[in-house]
Amino acid sequence: MDHHAPDHRSPLIVWGALAIVYVVWGSTYLGIGIVVESIPPLLGASMRFLAAAVLLGGFLLLTSGRRAFRMTRRQLISASLVGVLLLTLGNGMLSVAEQYISTGLAALLVASVPLWLVAFRFVVRDRPGVTTLVGVLVGLGGVAALSLTGNEGAAATGIAVVLIASLLWAVGSFLSGRVTMPANSFATSTIEMLAGGLGLAVLGTAAGERLDPSTITGRSWMALAYLVLVGSLIGFTAFSWLLGNAPISLVSTYAYVNPAVAVVLGALVLSEPITPRILVGGLIILIGVALVISTERRSKVPQGSGERVDRRGDVRRGVRRGHEPQAARNHVDSPVE
């Protein structure tokens, strides 16, 4: 489907789907924060993605049959590698970090992922424009303001962990558009969640985490169910639909709306303080991200190319000849999804 074709869908439906992405993905940070109150972070994330993989994979088998999962060994390995980077390392470390810092602060730091993606383009000698670079510098200045001002002990540890998580998520997003992936985007997501969930189980067990159902609160179980059913499935479905039915310039706005939603929800539900440092640093990050995304989407797209945005804001151009643009492959909380 041509993502640049005029949108003939009802504006009400489009904005309804966009509202789902805004609120659902913004709320996943809150969901993770409640899960880790009584569930070990890595094993909790493992349960989330394994359950979502079973549900999505089962639905795909019922509706499309086994042909949906036809893929080469190379495609299977590529999807599994991306899943480990995005979910085992990226999302898993985010869950660990939320034991030490507020959900709102975590969301604002994760918002820096598009900035890292631009930096990675230098590695492949794809030089971004001046305005894009200005956006990166502004955004990283906001990251520094949040990370280097008055943080000690556990907070400093949490910030360091979430920044590493963001970097690893960016690596996974960067690779996902440059390796051979399965043709069916839903099958790809199933493989990614399965590989990521298994990786989280191994990592959590190796780290000494143990599940004791008697210590898990009903509040954490409800948050985990929300992340599986709403965060990973409903949010992903709404986002995938938007990619085929709304302008990419509109869809990509989630990258700087989600953190704001996360900050507000953290304050309302968990009584997290919104300090002047969070307001100023967060605003600087979001301005930088907005500059990057708005500049990238205004760039000319070669005729016959597709444009898509990964969940953490990586606007990519150029689809392999003979292939239609696909839905974003990685599941988020976010994003981190």
Side-chain angles (χ1 to χ4, degrees):
M1 180 177 291
D2 184 359
H3 293 179
H4 299 285
D7 179 25
H8 299 292
R9 300 284 182 172
S10 165
L12 184 61
I13 297 176
V14 171
W15 281 102
L18 194 61
I20 289 174
V21 173
Y22 283 168
V23 176
V24 167
W25 283 354
S27 67
T28 54
Y29 295 92
L30 173 62
I32 292 172
I34 295 175
V35 165
V36 300
E37 288 177 351
S38 63
I39 301 178
L42 298 175
L43 293 183
S46 174
M47 290 192 292
R48 170 191 175 182
F49 291 114
L50 288 177
V54 169
L55 292 173
L56 180 59
F59 175 78
L60 194 56
L61 284 172
L62 288 174
T63 56
S64 302
R66 289 185 296 177
R67 67 179 182 276
F69 287 95
R70 289 176 183 168
M71 62 189 73
T72 65
R73 180 180 298 179
R74 182 176 181 181
Q75 290 171 331
L76 176 62
I77 292 174
S78 296
S80 299
L81 173 62
V82 170
V84 168
L85 286 168
L86 292 174
L87 305 181
T88 302
L89 301 178
N91 195 281
M93 294 185 73
L94 172 66
S95 298
V96 171
E98 286 200 26
Q99 296 178 112
Y100 307 107
I101 60 175
S102 69
T103 62
L105 177 57
L108 289 170
L109 292 172
V110 168
S112 65
V113 167
L115 311 179
W116 299 120
L117 288 163
V118 172
F120 292 161
R121 287 169 54 184
F122 280 96
V123 177
V124 295
R125 297 182 181 179
D126 178 13
R127 298 293 178 89
V130 174
T131 307
T132 298
L133 291 177
V134 170
V136 170
L137 293 176
V138 169
L140 292 180
V143 171
L146 287 178
S147 305
L148 303 177
T149 307
N151 294 301
E152 299 178 354
T157 299
I159 288 173
V161 171
V162 80
L163 286 176
I164 295 172
S166 300
L167 183 60
L168 292 170
W169 184 281
V171 171
S173 295
F174 187 77
L175 287 179
S176 69
R178 290 163 176 81
V179 294
T180 303
M181 303 290 273
N184 187 300
S185 61
F186 290 95
T188 300
S189 296
T190 300
I191 297 299
E192 287 175 352
M193 289 192 295
L194 184 60
L198 290 173
L200 283 160
V202 171
L203 194 60
T205 302
E209 291 187 356
R210 297 292 183 270
L211 278 176
D212 182 359
S214 65
T215 64
I216 300 176
T217 64
R219 171 183 165 106
S220 289
W221 280 123
M222 290 179 63
L224 182 61
Y226 176 85
L227 289 174
V228 172
L229 299 175
V230 182
S232 292
L233 298 179
I234 293 177
F236 172 70
T237 302
F239 182 75
S240 298
W241 183 88
L242 282 168
L243 285 178
N245 295 277
I248 197 67
S249 56
L250 179 63
V251 180
S252 62
T253 57
Y254 81 92
Y256 36 86
V257 174
N258 287 166
V261 171
V263 170
V264 172
L265 288 177
L268 292 176
V269 179
L270 300 178
S271 299
E272 294 176 348
I274 302 179
T275 64
R277 179 173 63 88
I278 287 179
L279 284 175
V280 174
L283 181 61
I284 293 173
I285 290 174
L286 298 185
I287 289 173
V289 172
L291 277 174
V292 169
I293 292 178
S294 61
T295 302
E296 291 290 289
R297 75 188 182 210
R298 284 199 305 265
S299 300
K300 292 183 179 179
V301 181
Q303 187 173 4
S305 294
E307 179 187 59
R308 67 181 176 85
V309 57
D310 278 333
R311 296 198 170 183
R312 292 301 175 190
D314 181 21
V315 177
R316 301 205 179 138
R317 292 176 178 81
V319 178
R320 292 189 301 276
R321 185 171 298 176
H323 290 73
E324 290 292 326
Q326 296 180 10
R329 297 180 177 118
N330 47 313
H331 281 263
V332 261
D333 21 61
S334 56
V336 141
E337 26 286 125

